[in-house]
């Protein structure tokens, strides 16, 4: 059995990212949260999706996925980005 490699996203740990992290965890069953003093890292086997609609539900306002970049520290995986989803995976 081949192990699926993890992808991850790391964000600054602050009040702005708390609802974003909650949304990512809600949309990615099996995600592992690694909280550090200054950052939050979310590891997911194979594929991680960030959905604009879920973040909007969490924060109660419109959200442009480009706002992620303000608090983004690093990530791993290939990026597939649209107005509605930001997806990290190892699939081209």
């Amino acid at each position: 059995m081949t192990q699926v490699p993890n992808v991850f996203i790391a964000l600054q740990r602050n009040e702005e990212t708390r609802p974003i992290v909650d949304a990512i965890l809600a949309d990615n069953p099996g995600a592992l949260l690694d909280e550090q003093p200054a950052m939050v890292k979310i590891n997911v086997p194979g594929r991680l999706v960030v959905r604009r609609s879920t973040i909007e539900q969490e924060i109660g306002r419109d959200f442009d996925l480009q706002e992620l970049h303000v608090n983004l520290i690093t990530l791993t995986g290939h990026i597939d980005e649209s107005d509605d989803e930001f997806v990290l995976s190892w699939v081209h």
Side-chain angles (χ1 to χ4, degrees), residues 1-37:
M1 186 163 117
T2 304
Q3 184 177 355
V4 178
N6 282 348
V7 293
F8 71 80
I9 189 167
L11 302 166
Q12 293 178 36
R13 185 175 180 178
N14 58 41
E15 289 304 312
E16 289 178 28
T17 60
R18 185 182 313 263
I20 295 169
V21 169
D22 290 344
I24 294 170
L25 293 174
D27 285 337
N28 295 276
L32 298 173
L33 181 62
D34 179 6
E35 294 182 283
Q36 302 293 322

Side-chain angles (χ1 to χ4, degrees), residues 20-69:
I20 295 169
V21 169
D22 290 344
I24 294 170
L25 293 174
D27 285 337
N28 295 276
L32 298 173
L33 181 62
D34 179 6
E35 294 182 283
Q36 302 293 322
M39 78 169 195
V40 177
K41 182 178 174 190
I42 302 169
N43 293 287
V44 182
R47 183 176 186 270
L48 180 148
V49 62
V50 180
R51 291 190 179 93
R52 179 181 52 82
S53 60
T54 307
I55 294 172
E56 288 177 344
Q57 289 173 2
E58 289 287 332
I59 64 175
R61 67 167 176 85
D62 289 344
F63 185 83
D64 183 333
L65 284 178
Q66 294 299 310
E67 292 180 57
L68 278 178
H69 298 283

